Amino acid sequence: NFDLIYNLFDKYKLCKEDRKELLNIVKPILYHDEFQKRFTDDFLHHNKVTLGEHIIEVAIETFIISKRQKTNIDLELALNIAMMHDLYSISWHKKDAAVDNFCNKHAFRHPVESVINSANWFPKIFEKSDSYKLVDGICHHMFPVPVVSFKDSKENNLELRNFDLVRNLSEKTKRQLEISTNKNLYSTMLLRPSKYKEGIIVSNADKLVTANNLKGSNFNILKEMVIGEKVKGNAKTLKKAKEKR
């Protein structure tokens, strides 16, 4: 995995000092067993790019954008959001990721799963950071795609694939999830960007990386990402796109 990471560092032309600074911040997340799983074929993300590779690339892009900002940016917060933004439980390529309710499809649901997993796996980061900014940045990284509204920690109405981990969340984190994803008592989804500049930077970085990874792909690829299911005939289209590269 480190060969892959250093190849990405070369791709983005990061100097030695920047590489060291970035790695020092992200290593508590990067070295975690659950994160390492995201580098395997069990977690393919866009085309043949693994989820781990995608997240690292978003973190690098976040680092670069943050360094260019004239206003003060909490770099550690921004990189934590980047490293946690897609830590959902099951690859959307798998049949197990399919759900019944359209509003619970992958694109709308996975930010909430990512918060739940991250809070369980990295409690120390949630304790020491401005945790609401962290939660809000993860929840709204898909803007302008809405996020499902988390309301009930007793019933799995959102068809979360890690609902069993909700019980481990602190009341504070549950409340932060509710505040970040609800407009009112009746909302089922919320469409807004993150309230904080660090979250907005990660959202922009994610779009830049995703657009680059999806070059040559068609509309069906985007449709697959939203519905979390394979679209018929897409494999052939994907093969042709790769041959053109």
Side-chain angles (χ1 to χ4, degrees):
N1 294 335
F2 276 96
D3 286 342
L4 183 152
I5 291 169
Y6 279 99
N7 285 338
L8 288 174
F9 284 166
D10 290 339
K11 174 182 175 180
Y12 284 89
K13 300 178 181 177
L14 289 189
C15 67
K16 185 177 179 181
E17 292 75 17
D18 285 346
R19 296 177 187 209
K20 184 177 180 181
E21 183 180 8
L22 194 159
L23 281 174
N24 279 340
I25 294 173
V26 305
K27 63 184 179 182
I29 302 173
L30 174 63
Y31 294 155
H32 195 281
D33 288 345
E34 285 292 346
F35 194 92
Q36 290 296 309
K37 288 179 186 176
R38 270 69 187 168
F39 285 111
T40 68
D41 287 345
D42 284 336
F43 282 93
L44 291 177
H45 192 54
H46 301 143
N47 296 342
K48 290 296 181 181
V49 175
T50 66
L51 184 55
E53 181 178 352
H54 167 76
I55 293 174
I56 292 297
E57 197 162 2
V58 172
I60 294 171
E61 191 71 67
T62 295
F63 181 88
I64 292 169
I65 296 173
S66 297
K67 288 289 187 177
R68 289 175 181 166
Q69 298 298 302
K70 294 180 180 178
T71 56
N72 288 331
I73 299 295
D74 185 335
L75 182 60
E76 184 173 354
L77 172 63
L79 287 175
N80 283 336
I81 295 169
M83 292 293 286
M84 295 176 182
H85 79 281
D86 270 347
L87 289 184
Y88 48 82
S89 295
I90 298 175
S91 172
W92 59 268
H93 292 263
K94 295 186 174 183
K95 290 181 179 179
D96 291 346
V99 294
D100 297 324
N101 187 333
F102 179 82
C103 292
N104 294 336
K105 294 294 186 180
H106 172 81
F108 316 126
R109 182 190 80 242
H110 82 269
V112 172
E113 286 189 357
S114 299
V115 171
I116 294 167
N117 282 337
S118 297
N120 272 269
W121 299 336
F122 311 108
K124 290 182 179 178
I125 294 176
F126 274 72
E127 288 168 10
K128 74 174 185 177
S129 69
D130 190 332
S131 55
Y132 181 69
K133 290 183 179 180
L134 187 60
V135 169
D136 196 71
I138 298 169
C139 282
H140 298 284
H141 77 269
M142 287 291 288
F143 181 81
V145 176
V147 61
V148 291
S149 297
F150 178 87
K151 286 187 172 72
D152 191 350
S153 59
K154 296 179 181 178
E155 297 290 335
N156 191 14
N157 297 320
L158 303 182
E159 300 180 81
L160 300 169
R161 292 302 180 259
N162 58 353
F163 185 69
D164 58 314
L165 296 181
V166 171
R167 65 174 180 268
N168 299 333
L169 297 179
S170 67
E171 290 304 315
K172 177 183 176 183
T173 301
K174 288 179 188 175
R175 183 61 181 149
Q176 288 173 341
L177 255 177
E178 290 172 0
I179 293 170
S180 183
T181 60
N182 284 276
K183 185 175 182 180
N184 54 52
L185 289 172
Y186 308 103
S187 60
T188 56
M189 287 183 168
L190 182 59
L191 175 61
R192 70 161 172 83
S194 174
K195 294 178 180 177
Y196 306 100
K197 51 194 174 184
E198 290 83 5
I200 292 171
I201 287 172
V202 174
S203 181
N204 290 337
D206 186 43
K207 290 174 182 62
L208 287 170
V209 171
T210 299
N212 185 55
N213 287 338
L214 291 179
K215 279 181 182 176
S217 301
N218 63 10
F219 175 75
N220 281 344
I221 293 286
L222 297 175
K223 185 178 178 182
E224 283 183 352
M225 289 166 61
V226 172
I227 66 175
E229 298 169 11
K230 286 291 180 184
V231 174
K232 230 176 182 180
N234 227 16
K236 291 181 180 178
T237 305
L238 184 56
K239 186 177 180 181
K240 288 179 182 178
K242 286 181 182 176
E243 290 171 351
K244 288 180 181 178
R245 291 181 187 177

